[in-house]
Amino acid sequence: LSALFSLIQDMIGSLDLDVLFGRVLQIIKDVVPCDELLLLLYQEGERLQLRKTLGLNSALTYREVFDGSSALTEEINRRRECLHLPDLEADRRFEDYLRDYPETRSLLCVPMVLKEQLLGVVNLHKKTVGGFSEREIRLVQAITAQAAIAMENARLYQQTRDLSNTDSLTRLANRRYFQAVMEKEFAQARRYGTNFSLIMIDIDHFKRYNDTHGHLQGDKVLRDVAQILHDNIRGIDLAGRFGGEEFVILMPKTNKEGARAAAEKLRLCVAEREFSGAAESQPEGRLTLSLGVAEFPEDADSLETLQERADQALYQAKKEGRNQTVAWNSTAPPLPYLTVLPLR
C-alpha cells in the first residue's frame, strides 16, 4: 500500500514519460524481488518496443523491438492478461525470448491496459526457477494499472504542450517557443563562454508562387520546405517558422563558418527539389532560398542585435541576387536598417 501510494503521488507530479517509466520499474523492484525488469510499449499495431529497463547488463545488447510474430507478443495480444512462466526453459514457445535473456528462469509479463486498449507490458525476470507468488502478481498488476493511467495523462499533456509550441501549418517551432529556447541558449552561452549561431531563411519570390498557384499549393510548399529544414539539421538544432515564408534556425555551440556550411546544405537541398509549378512561376524555374547567418558572441552582444545581423545578412543575400547564403560581415558596407520584430 505504501508503494502504491508513493507511485500515485509520483504520477500526479510527473508528466515526463521517461522519468515515469523509470519510477514505475523502481517501485515494482522495491516491492517484488526480481533481477531484471523491462517496460515495452506498443508501436505501430502489434509491435512491442523496449522503452525502459532496470537491472540489465549494460555491457550487452538486447533486442529493441518484438514484432507481431514474436511468441511473446502473440501470447500477450491473445490473452490480454498476465503471463506467468515459473520455468521459462520448460516452455518451448518462448525459445526466442530465452535466447535474448539466457539467464532468465522465471518470467512474469503484466500487460498495461487502459479502456480495453493494450498500451504496453512490464516483464519481470528471476534467475531462479520457482516463479512469482500470487501476492507478488497482484502487486504488479495494481502498480501497472496505475501506471497505464499515468502514461495516458502524460501523453495527453505532451500532446497539448507540443501543440502550444508548434506552428500549426509547418509543425516547426512557433515564434513564441523559438524565442524562449533562444533566450535560454543565450543565457547559457553568456554564462559558460560558448557560442551559437542563427540562420534566417526566406523563400525567394514566394508571393509570385502563391499568386500563380494559389494559397493551398503555397501552403504545401511551406510544409515541404519545413520538412526539408527539419530533416537536414542536427538533433540539437531548432528550426522555427518566423512568419509567412520566413524560417529561422538556432544552432547551439556552432561558429559562423559551421552555420554557413549548414545553411548552404539547406539551400542546395531545396534548390535540388522539384516543386510542382515552380518551373512556370519562379524566375529561375525552381524554388530557391536566401539565407543569412550571424554568430554570438562574434557578431553581436545581445539577442536583438544578433537577430538584426542575421536579418541584414539575409537582406544582403536577396540584394545580391537571391539563392545564396551570406554570413554577417562587420566590414561590409552598411545596409539599410531593418526593423526586426521580437519573436512572439
Side-chain angles (χ1 to χ4, degrees), residues 127-177:
K127 296 180 179 180
T128 57
V129 174
F132 297 83
S133 69
E134 287 299 319
R135 173 183 172 277
E136 289 171 338
I137 293 173
R138 287 197 301 273
L139 275 171
V140 179
Q141 286 176 312
I143 294 171
T144 54
Q146 293 296 325
I149 296 171
M151 284 170 52
E152 182 66 8
N153 289 340
R155 186 190 67 80
L156 291 173
Y157 169 78
Q158 289 189 351
Q159 188 178 64
T160 302
R161 185 187 62 184
D162 290 345
L163 287 173
S164 70
N165 294 338
T166 304
D167 174 67
S168 59
L169 177 65
T170 63
R171 310 306 299 166
L172 298 181
N174 59 28
R175 294 180 68 168
R176 180 191 58 78
Y177 180 64

Side-chain angles (χ1 to χ4, degrees), residues 3-279:
L4 282 173
F5 178 76
S6 175
L7 176 62
I8 292 169
Q9 291 298 108
D10 282 352
M11 290 189 296
I12 291 172
S14 176
L15 292 170
D16 184 309
L17 281 173
D18 195 58
V19 172
L20 176 63
F21 294 156
R23 189 67 182 126
V24 168
L25 294 188
Q26 186 59 58
I27 288 176
I28 292 175
K29 188 172 177 61
D30 288 345
V31 297
V32 178
C34 60
D35 298 300
E36 301 168 343
L37 293 103
L38 286 67
L39 189 149
L40 304 99
L41 296 184
Y42 278 96
Q43 303 286 341
E44 300 175 4
E46 296 183 347
R47 289 157 46 96
L48 277 170
Q49 183 175 27
L50 190 64
R51 285 294 303 272
K52 200 74 174 179
T53 66
L54 186 62
L56 292 185
N57 187 342
S58 59
L60 300 178
T61 301
Y62 298 94
R63 182 168 24 156
E64 292 289 329
V65 176
F66 295 82
D67 59 31
S69 62
S70 163
L72 174 71
T73 308
E74 286 184 345
E75 189 67 13
I76 292 295
N77 290 338
R78 183 182 67 82
R79 295 167 59 94
R80 303 177 71 88
E81 59 184 29
C82 283
L83 172 65
H84 181 208
L85 301 172
D87 186 357
L88 183 60
E89 281 189 309
D91 196 322
R92 293 183 174 274
R93 293 176 300 167
F94 302 100
E95 288 179 348
D96 60 336
Y97 194 86
L98 188 59
R99 283 195 298 270
D100 289 326
Y101 305 97
E103 295 184 340
T104 303
R105 292 299 172 265
S106 303
L107 172 65
L108 176 63
C109 305
V110 183
M112 292 181 286
V113 182
L114 183 66
K115 298 176 183 177
E116 300 184 355
Q117 179 184 0
L118 279 170
L119 302 181
V121 60
V122 175
N123 290 357
L124 288 73
H125 300 171
K126 284 186 179 181
K127 296 180 179 180
T128 57
V129 174
F132 297 83
S133 69
E134 287 299 319
R135 173 183 172 277
E136 289 171 338
I137 293 173
R138 287 197 301 273
L139 275 171
V140 179
Q141 286 176 312
I143 294 171
T144 54
Q146 293 296 325
I149 296 171
M151 284 170 52
E152 182 66 8
N153 289 340
R155 186 190 67 80
L156 291 173
Y157 169 78
Q158 289 189 351
Q159 188 178 64
T160 302
R161 185 187 62 184
D162 290 345
L163 287 173
S164 70
N165 294 338
T166 304
D167 174 67
S168 59
L169 177 65
T170 63
R171 310 306 299 166
L172 298 181
N174 59 28
R175 294 180 68 168
R176 180 191 58 78
Y177 180 64
F178 190 93
Q179 176 72 21
V181 173
M182 187 165 61
E183 288 175 356
K184 185 182 297 184
E185 183 64 31
F186 174 73
Q188 288 184 333
R190 191 165 56 177
R191 178 179 180 182
Y192 297 108
T194 57
N195 58 354
F196 69 92
S197 291
L198 201 63
I199 305 174
M200 298 291 293
I201 304 169
D202 186 79
I203 302 177
D204 297 326
H205 302 290
F206 185 70
K207 184 178 185 302
R208 182 177 300 187
Y209 187 94
N210 252 349
D211 291 344
T212 304
H213 304 290
H215 289 282
L216 289 179
Q217 187 63 27
D219 286 350
K220 184 179 185 308
V221 165
L222 289 174
R223 286 193 294 269
D224 289 345
V225 169
Q227 190 65 49
I228 291 172
L229 300 181
H230 177 271
D231 291 345
N232 288 278
I233 58 176
R234 303 170 302 176
I236 63 171
D237 301 331
L238 179 67
R241 187 182 181 193
F242 191 74
E245 68 272 22
E246 293 188 352
F247 301 90
V248 59
I249 295 175
L250 174 68
M251 302 191 71
K253 297 179 178 61
T254 305
N255 62 26
K256 190 158 52 180
E257 283 307 306
R260 190 182 189 285
E264 270 295 282
K265 175 185 175 182
L266 297 174
R267 184 185 67 81
L268 291 172
C269 286
V270 171
E272 293 168 359
R273 172 79 172 266
E274 291 187 9
F275 292 89
S276 176

